[in-house]
Amino acid sequence: MSKKNQYPVQKFTGVPVEADAGGQYQLKVDQHGDAKLHTWRTGKHTKGKYQGPGQLMLTENNLPVVILAAEPMAFKDRHSETPLQRFLSVRVTDEVLQQGQAMLENK
C-alpha cells in the first residue's frame, strides 16, 4: 500500500458511559458494579478531533465512551483494534474521569 493512503492512528482506552437522571455522564457499570475498560482506534473516517482525557467519543455502535488514555499506534497494527466513529465535544466531570483513570491504573 502506498504511503499517501496512510493516516495517523491513535489507540484509545476508555469506559462506556451513560447519562444519569441529571444528564451527567457516569461510568456504565454491570450488575456487580464493575465498569469495563476497552480499546478503540481512530479510523480513516473518524470525525472530530481528540482533545484529551475525559472527552467522549462514539463507537461504531453509537455507544458513548469516555477516553481515559491515548497512545500512538503503528498504522500496520490498526486491524487489531475496532475503529471509533467520532469524537464528541462533551467531557465528563473531573470526578468521573478520576474514577476511570483509577481503574486504568489498577488493571
Side-chain angles (χ1 to χ4, degrees), residues 60-101:
E60 288 191 320
N61 300 329
N62 290 318
L63 179 70
V65 170
V66 59
I67 300 168
L68 302 174
E71 58 193 279
M73 184 176 200
F75 187 79
K76 64 178 175 46
D77 296 335
R78 71 192 187 283
H79 294 296
S80 64
E81 300 294 340
T82 307
L84 64 102
Q85 182 191 145
R86 68 175 53 238
F87 294 107
L88 302 175
S89 56
V90 182
R91 298 181 57 79
V92 295
T93 62
D94 289 346
E95 183 186 355
V96 173
L97 177 58
Q98 286 161 2
Q99 287 173 343
Q101 287 179 326

Side-chain angles (χ1 to χ4, degrees), residues 15-36:
V15 176
V17 293
E18 56 193 354
D20 63 18
Q24 294 294 314
Y25 284 98
Q26 305 294 337
L27 299 181
K28 190 172 183 173
V29 294
D30 62 19
Q31 62 269 31
H32 307 293
D34 297 324
K36 300 264 188 287

Side-chain angles (χ1 to χ4, degrees), residues 3-4 10 21 24 29 39 52 68-69 83 92 102 104:
K3 281 268 194 224
K4 71 179 174 99
Q10 274 186 297
Q24 294 294 314
V29 294
T39 53
L68 302 174
V92 295
L104 196 58

